């Protein structure tokens, strides 16, 4: 499946390169003699570690704008937000790429981003964070519980559907999730439980603990050790992951997947990009944000990272379209509330779980 995804990403990005080459053989502004804003000064993009940014996309960006692109990995999404805040007076790059609605608003409040919004279509602005004009959505997806189809068939068990089902004794010792203090999907799931249960969310986690939920430090540990459909073929057929994850476990002809998502358990995650206040190359950073809203760029980043594009008309990879749908309804909390309440939630969660 990784080969299929890489091939799709290359196809989309190469098409973009061709489009850029056909539209102009020189960077924009070169033909008119206008300055290209330090063409030998790269645009430094700060992204999280697991971001897969296709080289073909970077090449297309240079062809279109004249700017070299330098992608710097900075840890997970939470670490990215922390580093942006700590370095706001001397930014480490020009643009942040991958800050989300779970961890990002603290950076907004700290004044990390240039306030001027980049022009975006209506469907993109609708995904924006209130009072955060400097952030522009570039993709989105859902954090959801996934299940191993074969395990439930082989063991004659009914597949759970809701958050409530996960605390049913029928599913004791079958669910693995991530620590919200160290994992972005873990924090998303905690927020989903707060959104769904309100003041009773702590009791829900006590019930999960009594029902044998296992907590890992991160997604990879759960997938590689505990999940029955993962690399380690572990003992637990329920794993916190993404609604797009089943698109990775499809068969060769893309007619079926060995896993599926429980679409009634989801939190909607939106990823943003933004020009950093005090950026060395603000012109290049703005050009990058605009470039990533182009349809071809949206398709390339979707194919590389298996998140849904935000621009209307951008096509999804076939496997994602068939097996990674967005949930019709999600358990969400606004970014500002997450920022103000997260510390308290995590303290209470750690006390309940003994973490």
């Amino acid at each position: 499946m990784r080969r299929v995804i890489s091939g799709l990403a290359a196809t989309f990005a190469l098409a973009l390169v061709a489009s850029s080459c056909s539209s102009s053989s020189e960077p924009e502004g070169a033909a008119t003699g206008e300055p290209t804003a330090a063409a030998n000064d790269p645009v430094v993009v700060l992204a999280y570690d697991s971001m897969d940014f296709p080289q073909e996309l970077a090449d297309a960006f240079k062809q279109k704008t004249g700017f070299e692109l330098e992608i710097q990995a900075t840890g997970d999404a939470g670490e990215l937000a922390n580093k942006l805040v700590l370095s706001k007076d001397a930014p480490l790059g020009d643009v942040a790429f991958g800050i989300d609605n779970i961890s990002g608003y603290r950076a907004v409040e700290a004044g990390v981003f240039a306030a001027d919004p980049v022009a975006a279509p209506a469907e993109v602005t609708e995904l924006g964070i209130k009072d955060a004009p400097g952030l522009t959505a570039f993709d989105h997806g859902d954090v959801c519980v996934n299940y191993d189809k074969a395990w439930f068939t082989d063991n004659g068990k009914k597949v759970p559907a809701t958050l409530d089902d996960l605390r049913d004794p029928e599913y004791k010792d079958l669910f693995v999730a991530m620590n919200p203090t160290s994992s972005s999907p873990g924090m998303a799931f905690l927020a989903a439980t707060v959104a769904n249960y309100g003041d009773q969310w702590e009791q829900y986690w006590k019930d999960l603990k009594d029902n044998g939920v296992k907590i890992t430090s991160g997604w990879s540990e759960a997938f590689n050790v505990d999940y029955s459909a993962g690399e380690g073929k572990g003992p637990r057929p329920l794993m916190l992951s993404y609604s797009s994850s089943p698109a990775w476990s499809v068969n060769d002809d893309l007619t079926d997947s060995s896993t599926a998502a429980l679409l009634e358990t989801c939190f909607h995650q939106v990823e943003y990009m933004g020009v950093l206040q005090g950026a060395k190359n603000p012109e290049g950073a703005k050009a990058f944000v605009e470039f990533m809203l182009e349809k071809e760029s949206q398709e390339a980043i979707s194919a590389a990272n298996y998140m849904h594009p935000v621009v209307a008309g951008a096509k999804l990879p076939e496997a994602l379209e068939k097996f990674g749908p967005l949930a019709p309804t999600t358990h969400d909390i606004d970014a500002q509330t997450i920022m103000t309440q997260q510390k308290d939630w995590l303290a209470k969660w750690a006390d309940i779980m003994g973490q």
Side-chain angles (χ1 to χ4, degrees), residues 307-322:
M307 293 284 278
H308 288 251
V310 295
V311 172
K315 295 180 180 178
L316 279 68
E318 183 180 357
L320 183 60
E321 185 173 15
K322 287 183 174 181

Side-chain angles (χ1 to χ4, degrees), residues 44-317:
V44 179
V45 177
L46 305 180
Y48 53 75
D49 286 347
S50 60
M51 173 66 69
D52 185 2
F53 196 92
Q55 181 59 46
E56 293 88 349
L57 200 53
D59 294 341
F61 176 72
K62 182 181 178 182
Q63 176 64 41
K64 181 163 188 177
T65 68
F67 293 113
E68 293 277 359
L69 203 57
E70 182 180 321
I71 309 293
Q72 290 189 4
T74 58
D76 66 17
E79 290 174 302
L80 171 59
N82 289 338
K83 289 180 180 179
L84 291 174
V85 172
L86 292 173
S87 63
K88 70 182 184 68
D89 294 326
L92 302 174
D94 301 302
V95 58
F97 190 66
I99 196 165
D100 61 28
N101 56 323
I102 299 169
S103 58
Y105 197 73
R106 187 165 72 90
V108 173
E109 285 283 277
V112 164
F113 298 101
D116 294 336
V118 172
E123 67 270 21
V124 176
T125 57
E126 286 175 3
L127 291 170
I129 296 175
K130 182 182 178 182
D131 298 326
L135 291 183
T136 302
F138 69 88
D139 69 17
H140 61 146
D142 293 324
V143 175
C144 312
V145 177
N146 281 213
Y147 70 95
D148 178 356
K149 291 181 180 179
W151 189 97
F152 280 93
T153 298
D154 294 344
N155 287 273
K157 277 189 177 289
K158 179 183 177 182
V159 176
T162 66
L163 291 173
D164 266 350
D165 290 342
L166 297 175
R167 54 182 173 181
D168 190 309
E170 183 177 1
Y171 306 108
K172 186 174 178 63
D173 299 329
L174 299 185
F175 179 37
V176 58
M178 293 99 231
N179 191 322
T181 65
S182 58
S183 163
S184 178
M187 184 62 225
F189 185 66
L190 174 59
T193 64
V194 175
N196 190 60
Y197 294 103
D199 293 342
Q200 297 302 308
W201 75 265
E202 292 173 70
Q203 183 58 54
Y204 178 76
W205 277 96
K206 292 174 183 177
D207 293 342
L208 283 186
K209 182 180 180 182
D210 291 343
N211 211 34
V213 63
K214 181 174 180 180
I215 302 297
T216 64
S217 61
W219 185 96
S220 294
E221 180 185 346
F223 186 77
N224 292 330
V225 177
D226 298 289
Y227 190 34
S228 60
E231 293 292 334
K233 304 299 180 184
R236 294 174 181 257
L238 295 167
M239 176 182 161
L240 179 64
S241 193
Y242 297 86
S243 68
S244 58
S245 296
W248 287 78
S249 54
V250 295
N251 56 11
D252 291 340
D253 57 3
L254 306 186
T255 58
D256 194 18
S257 175
S258 61
T259 65
L262 304 179
L263 295 181
E264 295 183 45
T265 67
C266 306
F267 176 93
H268 189 59
Q269 187 175 29
V270 183
E271 294 189 316
Y272 299 93
M273 51 188 170
V275 178
L276 300 180
Q277 184 69 39
K280 183 179 180 181
N281 189 350
E283 181 182 345
K286 183 177 180 181
F288 174 80
V289 172
E290 293 171 343
F291 174 79
M292 289 309 302
L293 291 178
E294 295 178 5
K295 184 172 75 73
E296 295 86 355
S297 302
Q298 287 278 290
E299 291 174 349
I301 204 69
S302 174
N305 292 282
Y306 261 42
M307 293 284 278
H308 288 251
V310 295
V311 172
K315 295 180 180 178
L316 279 68

